[in-house]
Amino acid sequence: MFAIIEIGGKQYKVEKGLKFEVEKLDLPENEELKVEKVLMIEENNDAKIGRPYLNGSSVTLKVIGQTRGEKVNTIKMKPKKRYIRHLGHKQHYTMVEVTEIK
């Protein structure tokens, strides 16, 4: 059994017990999050597809913790002007685990 859900404008294929990262959510650890934007649920080769979402279905997620992604380095440079600037960025993520699919 798996489901396709939407969180923060992005779609994720999830199944029970799966741990994955989503865009940062302001929730503490061990908090339960109920996602009702379910696009599709597949169970025993029987797929239910919503238009755009399925009514009455939800996926429960448990917040594991807050993480950061890999560092992305960029360089700004103006040739012949002796100008160079190094920039770096680390994106914030929330690690979640799927506990239940209804």
Side-chain angles (χ1 to χ4, degrees):
M1 173 184 223
F2 72 87
I4 298 177
I5 61 173
E6 183 180 330
I7 301 175
K10 296 181 182 172
Q11 298 176 1
Y12 301 94
K13 180 181 176 183
V14 298
E15 53 189 47
K16 189 172 181 180
L18 179 70
K19 297 177 183 176
F20 63 101
E21 293 177 339
V22 297
E23 294 293 320
K24 186 172 191 272
L25 304 171
D26 291 326
L27 296 172
E29 264 185 56
N30 298 321
E31 180 89 13
E32 293 286 322
L33 172 66
K34 190 173 186 179
V35 179
E36 301 204 354
K37 290 186 175 182
V38 179
L39 301 164
M40 179 182 140
I41 290 181
E42 189 275 332
E43 182 176 16
N44 300 329
N45 293 327
D46 179 34
K48 296 176 186 169
I49 301 172
R51 294 184 183 150
Y53 306 115
L54 286 170
N55 292 329
S57 49
S58 64
V59 175
T60 306
L61 304 173
K62 178 183 173 186
V63 176
I64 296 174
Q66 307 293 335
T67 61
R68 291 174 76 185
E70 292 184 17
K71 187 167 186 175
V72 178
N73 292 312
T74 59
I75 297 175
K76 284 185 175 182
M77 186 181 113
K78 293 183 181 178
K80 300 178 187 172
K81 302 294 180 193
R82 294 185 180 169
Y83 174 82
I84 190 165
R85 185 173 177 201
H86 298 273
L87 303 168
H89 173 73
K90 284 188 172 185
Q91 184 68 36
H92 294 273
Y93 293 106
T94 300
M95 190 70 134
V96 295
E97 179 181 4
V98 179
T99 56
E100 184 180 27
I101 299 175
K102 287 185 184 176

